[in-house]
Amino acid sequence: MAVMKPEMKSFIWLETPDGSIQQVEEEVAMFCPMICREVLQTGMGSSKNYAIKLPQRVNPVVLGLILDYCRFHQVPGRSNKERKTFDEKFIRMDTKKLCELTSGADSLQLRPLVDLTSRALARMIEGKTPEEIRDTFHLPDDLTEEEKLEPLKNRTDDPRIRLLNRLYARKRKELKVRETSKIVEIEEERVDDRSVDDLLLFINSGDEDSKCGKSAKNKKKSRRRKDHLKDSSLNIENGNHKKETDSLSSSHNSEIEDVPSPSEISKLLGSTSPTNPPEPDFDDELDPAMKEELDREVEDFARRLNSVWPERMQGIMR
Amino acid sequence: MHMEFFSGEDYISDLPQSIIETILTKLPLRDAVRTSILSSRWRYKWASLTQLEFDDKCVYGTHDRALAETYLVKFVSRFLFLHDGPIHRFTLTTAYLQSSPDVDQWLLFLSRKDVKELILELGEGEWFRVPSCLFSCRKLVRLELVRCELDPPLSFKGFPFLKHLNLQQVLIAPDVVENLISSCPLLESLTLSYFDSLELTVRAPNLKYLILEGEFKDICLENAPMLVAISVAMYMTDDIAEHFGQSSSCNFDKFLGGVPSLQRLIGHIYFTKYMSIGNTLAQTQVTYQQLKVIELYQVSFEDMKEIMVVLRLILNAPNLQELQISGSSNSSCASEAPDFDFWEKECPCDCAFEQLKIVKMTDMSGLPHEMAFIEFLLGSSPILEIMSITPSVYVTEGRLNLLIELLRFRRASAEAEIIFVQDQV
């Protein structure tokens, strides 16, 4: 192997965001499309004073890793197997560095490296429980229990309205039961297995820690509901929507939960604004006996949901 | 569980959406949607994915077919409803779901989202009748349909940007498919599989890759000058065989007459027979300067016409590098007495395959013309490196004779290795 004199090799000068400047072998640096473009289009990088300024996300550590990658892969003679072996060893690093590396490679437009690191990150997500994923990436567990349980919907929705709507749905169901008890029964039976619930579960895929702290959650829920019953405002137009929502709720009937999906919510709410106008009509429409019954039912449902949840999850997830 | 508060150290949520999307698209769609429960910032990261791939894995956990179908429909419908942003690629591959009004609705939704790539493979039951909204997906670049019925409206003028078209088991009228092909000016790759008795004329000025598989009565590549690779598998039925007998034109010219840039030709099953109809080794022929690889399967070396097709191809491909031919195991024209003068007559003695390096002959039965052909190749290929011969499984006793004959043959290339493949796995 011929020994090359230092003057014969060509270098490119790079400056990282912290101000430090280093020189890198030309063929290695040119492997990065962004650097290649800078050199060819602007002529920068030829000397220390004209070092190419690297993007914000490419700090010296990240740059070092990227250059290691480039140094290996820019050699043309390597076999696919060699490259693959190198890649597998290369991505073994802690998660934080892997994320930073992905970010840096992206800003230098080094697509093969972005793909490699993304695949590694995807492997850390696939098939893992939410808790494991949060742990891996240090994600804050900042969704409320309600949000985790409930379906995804329009961002502008107020959580209170969801609870209200659930009560509405239940109330409507009560009324419907009185009218056409037979039909409802049959429908309930028929759609038992296909409840909306199951779909939500697998979209939201509840996590293990919904199991613990359940009693606390229960209390929270029923307390909230009681509060709403007292001072909440009502949407009188509910009556107008009755026909529409009846068909909706019956088609999505289940004995467990009538949680509305986004489409239902928009229909239910119609054109009313999310902020409820103060209209204390709820108490007027319900007689106390029914109100009590409703309260009991809601609590009952909540308890049932929580106890059934783990088994349900087992059935759906694995 | 984990009640510790990490000092604001979220590694991943700050990455740009394009990277998040790259990561999420490497996950099965179900796992991607599940990320909505990770944290408040992850609630909707999945909802702006632009490449959606739905399949039966989205509903694993149940073996009840009806249940799986309902789940899948719900999942796709709700996903699409909650999705936010453009959709570039939509793939639906399912064995459970068949023709369903939900699919119509999804296609309507997609047609409004400027979808660019659409791949649809539904279940084996009733074939899906594609709604007309598909034809208003003006931005389509790739379209792949399996088990569908296509019936474009009269006002359909083609897909102006379509580059890749793949129709498999698609019910479509012959003139409609021809119009579809010719009305997509940018079409580069065309695959048609499992068509019945199709007479096809291809007019596609930019077509580079052509794959045909099925029962074709007639194929005419009328205008496809940019073709680089062709792969054809022709099946035979009785009425096609009749048609063969009645045809007066030269199929070779119709098929390969206008493809000077061809680099790779692959022909399966009855392809060589099809090409042999009306074929002559006439003087005025197209030279395939770029043709580097020829693979012909099920060539009957007892049919002189088929041998002529092979000859015509290789004699007009001066830069041929690799040749692979498999013999036909059933002798249908065994009645013809071998014409041993044939080789001296048809092959110019000074012909040389200057670039031919690899030859693979498989399913060889030791027929006289097979051996003559091998002898011819060995004697005319100055830089041949490998001549691999695999005897047919039906030949058990004749192998030794085959070998003895092979040994005799003169070799023009000192480097040539003759490899006799004994045990086929």
Side-chain angles (χ1 to χ4, degrees):
Chain A
M1 205 140 100
V3 175
M4 283 186 81
K5 288 204 207 143
E7 309 91 71
M8 293 180 69
K9 264 194 147 201
S10 191
F11 289 88
I12 306 244
W13 295 85
L14 303 171
E15 182 178 341
T16 46
D18 63 343
S20 60
I21 302 177
Q22 55 180 287
Q23 56 176 356
V24 181
E25 306 95 318
E26 182 180 2
E27 64 274 8
V28 174
M30 293 290 265
F31 199 69
C32 298
M34 180 254 168
I35 296 178
C36 188
R37 213 187 36 237
E38 278 293 304
V39 168
L40 293 175
Q41 282 180 5
T42 65
M44 297 278 279
S46 48
S47 73
K48 198 165 179 180
N49 293 332
Y50 293 100
I52 297 175
K53 287 194 170 41
L54 295 177
Q56 185 61 35
R57 296 180 264 156
V58 187
N59 61 45
V61 173
V62 170
L63 181 62
L65 287 168
I66 294 178
L67 292 177
D68 285 341
Y69 181 87
C70 293
R71 199 166 287 123
F72 183 88
H73 280 279
Q74 58 89 20
V75 177
R78 303 207 195 267
S79 71
N80 283 338
K81 191 167 176 198
E82 284 179 345
R83 290 180 195 268
K84 217 173 152 212
T85 318
F86 173 86
D87 285 347
E88 278 163 27
K89 263 198 259 167
F90 181 73
I91 49 166
R92 281 190 220 148
M93 60 182 80
D94 65 78
T95 316
K96 181 167 183 202
K97 227 191 275 180
L98 196 56
C99 292
E100 290 177 1
L101 178 58
T102 314
S103 183
D106 178 62
S107 59
L108 291 183
Q109 291 154 3
L110 193 51
R111 190 76 218 174
L113 183 54
V114 174
D115 277 339
L116 175 64
T117 48
S118 302
R119 248 180 291 135
L121 291 168
R123 278 200 295 270
M124 293 180 192
I125 297 176
E126 184 172 351
K128 303 278 192 307
T129 67
E131 214 203 27
E132 286 171 343
I133 302 174
R134 278 194 214 107
D135 199 25
T136 312
F137 295 103
H138 285 197
L139 299 175
D141 188 358
D142 59 358
L143 285 170
T144 63
E145 293 301 330
E146 275 76 20
E147 282 174 312
K148 280 185 206 161
L149 288 177
E150 279 153 26
L152 296 170
K153 51 184 182 28
N154 271 317
R155 284 178 235 221
T156 51
D157 241 346
D158 190 356
R160 288 171 295 175
I161 299 196
R162 282 202 310 280
L163 290 166
L164 259 183
N165 286 329
R166 256 195 249 154
L167 288 168
Y168 282 67
R170 192 146 288 275
K171 175 189 163 193
R172 255 175 290 132
K173 202 170 108 177
E174 288 292 331
L175 295 172
K176 200 169 188 249
V177 163
R178 268 156 221 186
E179 287 171 274
T180 53
S181 51
K182 230 192 260 176
I183 300 171
V184 168
E185 248 175 50
I186 294 171
E187 278 182 336
E188 276 186 340
E189 270 172 36
R190 193 161 43 100
V191 301
D192 197 350
D193 290 331
R194 306 178 186 194
S195 66
V196 172
D197 203 13
D198 290 336
L199 187 73
L200 295 176
L201 282 177
F202 92 68
I203 284 185
N204 270 333
S205 106
D207 43 326
E208 251 74 73
D209 52 8
S210 66
K211 269 192 269 186
C212 31
K214 213 167 303 196
S215 47
K217 196 170 54 173
N218 248 346
K219 285 191 203 138
K220 223 187 347 169
K221 264 194 176 166
S222 38
R223 220 185 299 128
R224 267 206 181 185
R225 288 205 182 97
K226 292 214 179 87
D227 287 338
H228 277 289
L229 283 175
K230 285 188 201 143
D231 55 48
S232 67
S233 43
L234 243 209
N235 189 349
I236 310 180
E237 285 169 52
N238 175 53
N240 297 336
H241 293 289
K242 183 169 184 279
K243 281 211 184 111
E244 264 186 315
T245 51
D246 265 348
S247 52
L248 266 181
S249 63
S250 62
S251 62
H252 289 276
N253 236 350
S254 97
E255 66 174 56
I256 304 285
E257 195 178 56
D258 282 334
V259 184
S261 70
S263 52
E264 285 163 77
I265 288 180
S266 52
K267 278 194 185 166
L268 288 170
L269 291 179
S271 52
T272 57
S273 63
T275 56
N276 299 310
E279 278 169 334
D281 288 325
F282 188 67
D283 292 284
D284 291 343
E285 289 195 44
L286 277 181
D287 62 331
M290 199 171 140
K291 182 174 153 192
E292 228 181 85
E293 213 184 290
L294 235 116
D295 270 349
R296 234 182 299 128
E297 271 191 52
V298 166
E299 273 200 52
D300 193 21
F301 145 61
R303 219 175 300 125
R304 212 168 358 144
L305 175 71
N306 293 324
S307 65
V308 156
W309 190 294
E311 287 101 61
R312 278 265 162 131
M313 265 208 10
Q314 298 286 329
I316 303 269
M317 304 236 303
R318 298 295 152 202
Chain B
M1 300 268 160
H2 286 264
M3 298 301 165
E4 305 139 31
F5 177 69
F6 302 105
S7 49
E9 283 281 344
D10 180 343
Y11 303 152
I12 193 173
S13 311
D14 283 321
L15 290 178
Q17 180 63 18
S18 59
I19 299 183
I20 302 285
E21 168 147 358
T22 307
I23 299 173
L24 289 179
T25 41
K26 295 191 196 304
L27 292 170
L29 206 54
R30 230 180 111 137
D31 287 86
V33 175
R34 278 176 174 192
T35 60
S36 58
I37 205 174
L38 291 176
S39 78
S40 54
R41 291 183 67 185
W42 278 81
R43 205 112 158 89
Y44 292 102
K45 283 199 196 272
W46 64 275
S48 41
L49 285 175
T50 58
Q51 307 203 9
L52 309 179
E53 201 161 306
F54 295 97
D55 51 33
D56 290 329
K57 291 198 293 252
C58 297
V59 291
Y60 64 69
T62 175
H63 294 295
D64 179 341
R65 196 208 167 98
L67 212 58
E69 202 178 318
T70 319
Y71 275 18
L72 185 60
V73 167
K74 271 190 182 162
F75 183 63
V76 179
S77 295
R78 281 158 190 262
F79 185 105
L80 289 180
F81 196 90
L82 295 168
H83 185 271
D84 183 17
I87 295 177
H88 289 154
R89 184 176 154 105
F90 180 90
T91 306
L92 175 59
T93 315
T94 167
Y96 295 129
L97 184 60
Q98 283 148 40
S99 189
S100 154
D102 298 289
V103 186
D104 289 343
Q105 288 178 14
W106 301 336
L107 285 178
L108 181 61
F109 180 87
L110 290 168
S111 66
R112 295 170 180 161
K113 289 270 191 172
D114 286 341
V115 65
K116 294 207 184 111
E117 297 190 7
L118 181 61
I119 297 164
L120 210 55
E121 180 176 343
L122 300 177
E124 291 255 0
E126 195 191 316
W127 289 12
F128 175 62
R129 198 134 193 270
V130 173
S132 52
C133 56
L134 173 74
F135 301 100
S136 50
C137 296
R138 304 277 301 158
K139 302 269 170 69
L140 270 182
V141 170
R142 178 186 294 271
L143 177 62
E144 291 181 25
L145 299 173
V146 180
R147 287 185 283 268
C148 298
E149 267 185 57
L150 268 188
D151 194 11
L154 289 168
S155 57
F156 178 58
K157 296 282 183 299
F159 294 112
F161 303 103
L162 195 67
K163 283 200 186 154
H164 309 272
L165 179 62
N166 185 336
L167 301 178
Q168 188 183 317
Q169 285 175 277
V170 171
L171 210 61
I172 182 174
D175 53 324
V176 172
V177 71
E178 281 181 13
N179 283 337
L180 179 58
I181 296 169
S182 52
S183 65
C184 299
L186 297 184
L187 196 64
E188 279 179 15
S189 135
L190 173 64
T191 305
L192 299 177
S193 335
Y194 302 117
F195 276 74
D196 293 337
S197 298
L198 190 60
E199 282 186 40
L200 186 68
T201 306
V202 174
R203 296 177 198 93
N206 280 310
L207 195 63
K208 291 206 186 105
Y209 308 100
L210 177 64
I211 300 175
L212 297 173
E213 182 175 353
E215 297 162 5
F216 291 95
K217 264 198 217 155
D218 197 54
I219 309 174
C220 178
L221 301 182
E222 188 179 293
N223 180 17
M226 312 281 288
L227 268 175
V228 158
I230 300 178
S231 170
V232 182
M234 292 190 71
Y235 298 97
M236 185 75 80
T237 61
D238 287 332
D239 46 70
I240 292 185
E242 262 181 57
H243 186 89
F244 274 10
Q246 290 157 14
S247 171
S248 52
S249 49
C250 173
N251 285 349
F252 196 110
D253 288 327
K254 268 200 288 187
F255 192 79
L256 291 180
V259 292
S261 316
L262 194 61
Q263 288 178 22
R264 208 182 169 98
L265 175 65
I266 302 172
H268 292 265
I269 314 176
Y270 285 102
F271 177 69
T272 322
K273 176 127 181 84
Y274 171 77
M275 294 284 272
S276 68
I277 292 165
N279 182 33
T280 54
L281 280 178
Q283 293 298 28
T284 52
Q285 286 162 41
V286 181
T287 311
Y288 306 102
Q289 296 284 355
Q290 321 273 2
L291 191 49
K292 296 201 180 64
V293 178
I294 296 178
E295 289 176 36
L296 293 172
Y297 297 93
Q298 277 99 27
V299 177
S300 168
F301 276 90
E302 286 163 323
D303 183 351
M304 304 308 300
K305 294 214 196 114
E306 289 195 33
I307 302 176
M308 285 223 280
V309 168
V310 178
L311 271 180
R312 183 173 170 182
L313 273 173
I314 61 177
L315 289 175
N316 288 300
N319 296 312
L320 188 64
Q321 288 177 9
E322 190 177 321
L323 177 64
Q324 197 166 324
I325 300 197
S326 87
S328 178
S329 348
N330 55 336
S331 30
S332 41
C333 327
S335 48
E336 282 188 43
D339 174 12
F340 289 111
D341 296 331
F342 169 77
W343 294 96
E344 279 100 47
K345 268 192 282 178
E346 304 295 344
C347 308
C349 12
D350 58 348
C351 95
F353 303 109
E354 306 279 349
Q355 307 287 333
L356 190 57
K357 287 208 182 110
I358 302 174
V359 176
K360 290 192 191 145
M361 310 284 299
T362 55
D363 270 317
M364 292 282 102
S365 317
L367 296 170
H369 283 301
E370 283 176 2
M371 303 312 292
F373 183 63
I374 297 173
E375 182 176 8
F376 169 60
L377 284 178
L378 278 173
S380 329
S381 313
I383 66 162
L384 189 66
E385 286 171 16
I386 294 178
M387 163 73 79
S388 154
I389 314 235
T390 312
S392 158
V393 287
Y394 302 114
V395 170
T396 40
E397 289 108 28
R399 289 191 184 193
L400 193 56
N401 293 333
L402 234 167
L403 268 174
I404 293 172
E405 261 202 83
L406 272 176
L407 279 173
R408 273 182 40 233
F409 294 153
R410 264 190 63 248
R411 303 178 202 187
S413 160
E415 311 289 324
E417 266 185 57
I418 300 190
I419 301 171
F420 193 79
V421 180
Q422 271 276 59
D423 297 308
Q424 298 174 58
V425 182

